[in-house]
């Protein structure tokens, strides 16, 4: 079966929309998904940004929140504008990295996004992440995954994935790679919407939006 890589950042608004439905979209096309957590912060820093471009450019940010509400409503997803934007997704990304081979990883990723963008919970808090893990992972694996996420191996792997994203020309989220290039992971048919920034690929999975 062909594969696509889904690069996602837990602070990214549009990654939330893509994460909730990428598996069904991929299955409809006969491909499987490899989930790749990475960090936008170092990538933004290289571009001279100290914040999300949605905060740096207020007009872009205003449009994004309107668009997010519209898309979430269209998709039947709960959405609440977080009280803190962007939230720090480092701990969650390290957990996702440590759980890279676990069958419950997609459920964990979706639950973290829902905590942030549907329930306005602080996803940098260890108690919040543990609660999510206890819901999606087997009881006997929670402590070992938490410990693994703090290891040098997990930290190095996350840095390497972020560097690979840079080498692929990714500078926003959520891109999807596979075949000849990487694709905008959250774009609607018939037009391009506000994005945090990324190079346009040659084909798209049609997951709506972008950024």
């Amino acid at each position: 079966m062909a594969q696509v890589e889904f690069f996602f950042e837990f602070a990214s608004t549009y990654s939330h929309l893509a994460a909730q439905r990428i598996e069904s979209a991929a299955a409809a096309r006969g491909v499987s998904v490899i989930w790749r957590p990475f960090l936008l912060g170092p990538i933004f820093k290289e571009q001279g940004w100290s914040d999300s471009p949605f905060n740096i450019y207020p007009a872009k940010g205003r449009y994004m929140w309107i668009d997010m509400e519209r898309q979430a409503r269209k998709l039947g997803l709960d959405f609440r504008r977080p009280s803190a934007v962007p939230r720090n997704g480092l701990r969650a990304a390290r957990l996702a990295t440590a759980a890279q081979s676990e069958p419950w990883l997609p459920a964990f990723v979706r639950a973290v996004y829902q905590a942030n963008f549907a329930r306005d919970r602080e996803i940098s808090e260890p108690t919040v992440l543990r609660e999510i893990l206890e819901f999606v992972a087997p009881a006997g694996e929670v402590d070992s995954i938490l410990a693994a996420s703090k290891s040098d191996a997990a930290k190095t792997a996350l840095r390497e994935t972020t560097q690979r994203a840079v080498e692929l020309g990714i500078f926003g989220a959520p891109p999807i790679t596979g075949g000849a290039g990487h694709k905008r992971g959250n774009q609607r048919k018939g037009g391009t919407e506000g994005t945090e920034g990324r190079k346009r690929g040659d084909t798209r999975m049609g997951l709506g939006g972008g950024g």
Side-chain angles (χ1 to χ4, degrees), residues 60-132:
K60 187 181 184 75
R62 285 192 295 272
Y63 173 81
M64 181 273 293
W65 291 118
I66 293 171
D67 188 47
M68 280 292 297
E69 291 176 0
R70 180 171 60 236
Q71 290 200 54
R73 186 166 54 249
K74 180 180 178 180
L75 296 168
L77 298 174
D78 291 334
F79 177 75
R80 182 192 304 178
R81 180 172 175 172
S83 55
V85 180
R87 284 199 162 111
N88 188 329
L90 177 60
R91 282 196 180 100
R94 286 177 176 168
L95 278 167
T97 299
Q100 195 81 59
S101 62
E102 299 294 340
W104 45 262
L105 173 62
F108 171 77
V109 174
R110 290 190 292 267
V112 173
Y113 278 121
Q114 289 163 354
N116 190 13
F117 294 111
R119 300 180 181 88
D120 193 20
R121 302 194 68 188
E122 183 49 73
I123 60 169
S124 67
E125 287 293 331
T127 52
V128 172
L129 294 173
R130 184 180 185 94
E131 181 182 321
I132 293 171

Side-chain angles (χ1 to χ4, degrees), residues 3-7 164-165 167-170 174-185 198-205:
Q3 296 178 321
V4 294
E5 294 179 285
F6 173 44
F7 285 78
R164 182 161 174 268
E167 293 168 357
L168 286 170
I170 293 168
I176 298 169
T177 71
H182 69 265
K183 297 85 176 169
R184 295 180 61 169
R198 78 193 126 268
K199 191 186 298 179
R200 292 184 64 177
D202 57 330
T203 59
R204 302 177 179 89
M205 289 185 68

